[in-house]
């Protein structure tokens, strides 16, 4: 009887051992990979964070104290907070809007493909591309070119920006323009020679300059005191020199503008009625208003919003696709019942659609939050060196401390541990949520 039961247990034990062996053969390579590439680096990073880089001596939490004592780390943590608050929220909201809109347009598949296409581009390539998009020069930067075009449509620049008076002719800077250094009487015509106007910006209606006609009113002439090919006399009207039409001229007395005039095609102007007293003659500041040249997007003040904008461009399509999948599974009878009850599109979106796809929105938010906490490549490529300190985040600071010249592996490892602790809550939340869904 014992032999029977022993013989019955032996095949069962052998079968379980074979299953364990097969499981070990399949799981062994994966477990070894996790051990070598995940567990060991994490343990070694923790060990480095507790030791001095140069001597290898145990320093406890000294590296962590140095980490929080530096201005760079505090700024990096603050920027990470800005990223976590702004980027996932904007991407999720934008993804929801795009997901809803693409359901109502023709060629929705093509549109979704275009919106999702940035996800196929390397972050490094995106950084280089947006470096050009954000270029401060409107001739190269697409964004500033568009802003300048819109601005100039409503507020065009002055025709004479960059123009300055000829040296030694008695004109001095004042109130953003140029004026005579001393008061002049009406009996003395005012000569106001200027230079610095390129040939392609000379007004088409300009004609050769000529001295003002004789008269008793205050008068003068404004002309481009430059002769092509050289020659001519400075401060004198030469035969080939043209007047500057449309120039606004002011007569100032006792610090107050008492009259204004505009030059004609030959650059002449006159102030009717000003026949007595002495006046300061001024070329108004509005003649020299510089054109709008755009915004310094990658400067210290706007570099973080600019990089977040590039991130949103990449990930909006990702959020749209996930939310679109959630919208496709909504019960149509609920939406039709809401429309039958007279609900508007906005009410359906806010009170029906959003609550039903809220689990998907949470997944997108958490996924993007984990992603932005580890953001590195965009911030390494996109901001110029002059603004990288202002755009710094924990992952970038970890790289700069460890490999950017300091080679301080102890401090860099402490920053790596900090980054792991920042990401850990979102990871635990995701794991718990998935377990609840399985149950």
């Amino acid at each position: 009887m014992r032999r029977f039961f022993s013989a019955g247990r032996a095949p069962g034990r052998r079968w379980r051992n074979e299953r364990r062996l097969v499981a070990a053969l399949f799981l062994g390579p994966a477990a070894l990979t996790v051990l070598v590439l995940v567990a060991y680096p994490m343990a070694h990073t923790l060990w480095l964070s507790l030791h001095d880089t140069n001597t290898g001596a145990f320093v406890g939490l000294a590296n962590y104290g140095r980490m929080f004592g530096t201005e760079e780390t505090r700024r990096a943590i603050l920027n990470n907070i800005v990223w976590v608050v702004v980027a996932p929220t904007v991407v999720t909201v934008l993804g929801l809007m795009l997901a809803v809109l693409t359901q109502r347009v023709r060629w929705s598949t093509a549109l979704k493909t275009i919106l999702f296409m940035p996800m196929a581009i390397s972050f490094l390539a995106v950084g280089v591309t947006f470096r050009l998009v954000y270029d401060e020069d409107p001739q190269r930067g697409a964004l500033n070119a568009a802003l300048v075009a819109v601005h100039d449509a409503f507020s065009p620049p002055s025709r004479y920006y960059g123009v300055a008076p000829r040296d030694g002719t008695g004109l001095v800077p004042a109130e953003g323009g140029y004026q005579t250094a001393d008061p002049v009487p009406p009996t003395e015509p005012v000569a106001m020679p200027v230079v610095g106007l390129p040939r392609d910006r000379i007004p088409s209606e300009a004609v050769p300059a000529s001295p003002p006609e004789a008269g008793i009113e205050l008068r003068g002439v404004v002309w481009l005191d430059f002769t092509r090919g050289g020659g001519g006399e400075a401060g004198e009207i030469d035969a080939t020199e043209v007047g500057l039409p449309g120039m606004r001229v002011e007569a100032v007395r006792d610090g107050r503008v008492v009259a204004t005039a505009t030059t004609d095609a030959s650059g002449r102007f006159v102030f009717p009625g000003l026949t007595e007293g002495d006046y300061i003659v001024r070329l108004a500041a509005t003649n020299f208003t510089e054109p709008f040249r755009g915004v310094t997007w990658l400067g210290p003040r706007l570099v973080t919003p600019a990089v977040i904008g590039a991130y949103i461009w990449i990930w909006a399509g990702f959020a749209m696709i996930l939310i679109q999948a959630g919208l496709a599974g909504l019960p149509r009878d609920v939406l039709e019942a809401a429309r039958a009850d007279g609900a508007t599109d906005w009410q359906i979106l806010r009170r029906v659609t959003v609550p039903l796809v809220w689990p998907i929105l949470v997944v997108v938010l958490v996924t993007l939050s984990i992603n932005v906490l580890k953001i590195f490549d965009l911030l390494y490529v996109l901001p110029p060196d002059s603004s990288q300190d202002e755009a710094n985040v924990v992952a970038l600071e970890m790289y700069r401390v460890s490999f950017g010249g300091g080679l301080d592996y102890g401090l860099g490892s402490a920053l790596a541990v900090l980054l792991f602790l920042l990401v850990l809550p979102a990871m635990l939340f995701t794991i718990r949520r998935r377990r609840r869904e399985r149950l």
Side-chain angles (χ1 to χ4, degrees):
M1 197 71 173
R2 290 180 181 178
R3 292 179 181 178
F4 176 79
F5 284 111
S6 298
R9 286 198 299 268
R13 186 181 300 110
R14 188 182 306 110
W15 179 74
R16 287 194 296 271
N17 291 337
E18 290 178 355
R19 288 191 60 187
R20 291 171 183 171
L21 179 60
V22 171
L25 290 175
F26 277 98
L27 296 178
L32 182 62
T33 302
V34 171
L35 180 65
V36 173
L37 299 181
V38 179
Y40 172 74
M42 291 179 61
H44 190 62
T45 299
L46 181 61
W47 186 90
L48 287 175
S49 70
L50 300 175
H51 291 76
D52 182 74
T53 301
N54 298 319
T55 64
F58 179 77
V59 295
L61 300 179
N63 287 323
Y64 294 91
R66 286 197 301 136
M67 176 181 65
F68 289 107
T70 60
E71 178 64 26
E72 292 79 8
T73 302
R74 290 195 293 268
R75 186 186 296 116
I77 294 174
L78 179 61
N79 285 340
N80 264 118
I81 293 173
V82 173
W83 271 88
V84 171
V85 171
V86 176
T89 304
V90 175
V91 171
T92 303
V93 172
L94 186 59
L96 176 63
M97 294 172 58
L98 293 174
V100 172
L101 292 176
T102 51
Q103 288 185 323
R104 303 183 174 217
V105 298
R106 299 180 63 183
W107 305 98
S108 61
T109 301
L111 180 59
K112 286 186 286 187
T113 301
I114 294 172
L115 293 173
F116 187 75
M117 195 173 296
M119 283 294 299
I121 304 175
S122 164
F123 270 41
L124 295 178
V126 171
V128 174
T129 302
F130 271 83
R131 189 79 172 262
L132 296 175
V133 171
Y134 288 137
D135 196 291
E136 190 173 357
D137 185 357
Q139 300 298 324
R140 293 183 296 178
L143 188 55
N144 271 340
L147 288 178
V148 168
V150 173
H151 180 275
D152 290 351
F154 295 96
S155 180
S158 168
R159 291 191 292 183
Y160 300 116
Y161 66 88
V163 168
R166 168 73 73 178
D167 293 337
T169 55
L171 297 179
V172 296
E175 302 293 332
Y178 302 97
Q179 67 183 27
T180 56
D182 301 310
V184 295
T187 56
E188 182 181 335
V190 182
M192 309 187 80
V194 297
V195 293
L197 184 66
R199 182 184 178 188
D200 59 349
R201 284 176 37 214
I202 297 176
S204 59
E205 66 270 24
V207 299
S210 60
E213 298 177 355
I216 60 174
E217 296 98 346
L218 181 63
R219 62 193 58 221
V221 60
V222 185
W223 81 98
L224 182 61
D225 191 19
F226 175 77
T227 301
R228 292 187 62 196
E233 186 176 350
E236 298 293 334
I237 300 176
D238 298 306
T240 60
E241 295 174 351
V242 297
L244 299 182
M247 185 79 77
R248 180 182 174 88
V249 189
E250 299 172 341
V252 182
R253 191 172 190 180
D254 298 329
R256 184 171 59 90
V257 177
V258 297
T260 60
T262 304
T263 58
D264 62 12
S266 62
R268 295 181 296 184
F269 62 89
V270 62
F271 293 97
L274 298 186
T275 58
E276 298 180 354
D278 294 341
Y279 300 89
I280 294 289
V281 180
R282 178 191 300 162
L283 299 177
T286 54
N287 298 312
F288 312 104
T289 303
E290 291 286 336
F292 178 67
R293 300 189 182 278
V295 179
T296 307
W297 295 103
L298 297 180
R301 300 179 61 181
L302 293 177
V303 63
T304 295
V307 180
I308 291 177
Y311 180 90
I312 292 172
W313 179 79
I314 297 172
W315 285 91
F318 167 81
M320 176 197 68
I321 293 299
L322 288 185
I323 298 172
Q324 180 76 50
L327 292 176
L330 294 182
R332 296 300 171 187
D333 54 341
V334 176
L335 300 177
E336 294 300 331
R339 291 190 180 93
D341 289 340
T344 63
D345 290 339
W346 170 247
Q347 290 174 330
I348 293 175
L349 175 65
R350 186 166 58 93
R351 297 182 179 276
V352 179
T353 304
V354 172
L356 290 176
V357 299
W358 181 250
I360 303 296
L361 299 181
V362 172
V363 170
V364 174
L365 275 171
V366 174
T367 302
L368 293 175
S369 298
I370 295 174
N371 184 269
V372 299
L373 283 171
K374 302 182 296 181
I375 190 72
F376 167 78
D377 30 20
L378 267 183
L379 290 161
Y380 184 71
V381 177
L382 185 51
D385 292 340
S386 58
S387 302
Q388 204 167 68
D389 287 342
E390 284 71 18
N392 199 15
V393 293
V394 175
L396 180 60
E397 179 65 12
M398 176 186 66
Y399 173 82
R400 294 171 65 182
V401 167
S402 301
F403 310 105
L407 299 181
D408 192 343
Y409 301 123
L411 182 57
S413 299
L415 286 165
V417 173
L418 172 64
L419 183 61
F420 175 75
L421 294 177
L422 292 175
V423 175
L424 188 60
M427 294 174 58
L428 294 177
F429 175 82
T430 303
I431 293 172
R432 290 186 60 186
R433 192 173 180 283
R434 288 181 178 179
R435 287 180 176 177
R436 290 177 181 177
E437 290 178 353
R438 291 177 181 177
L439 296 177

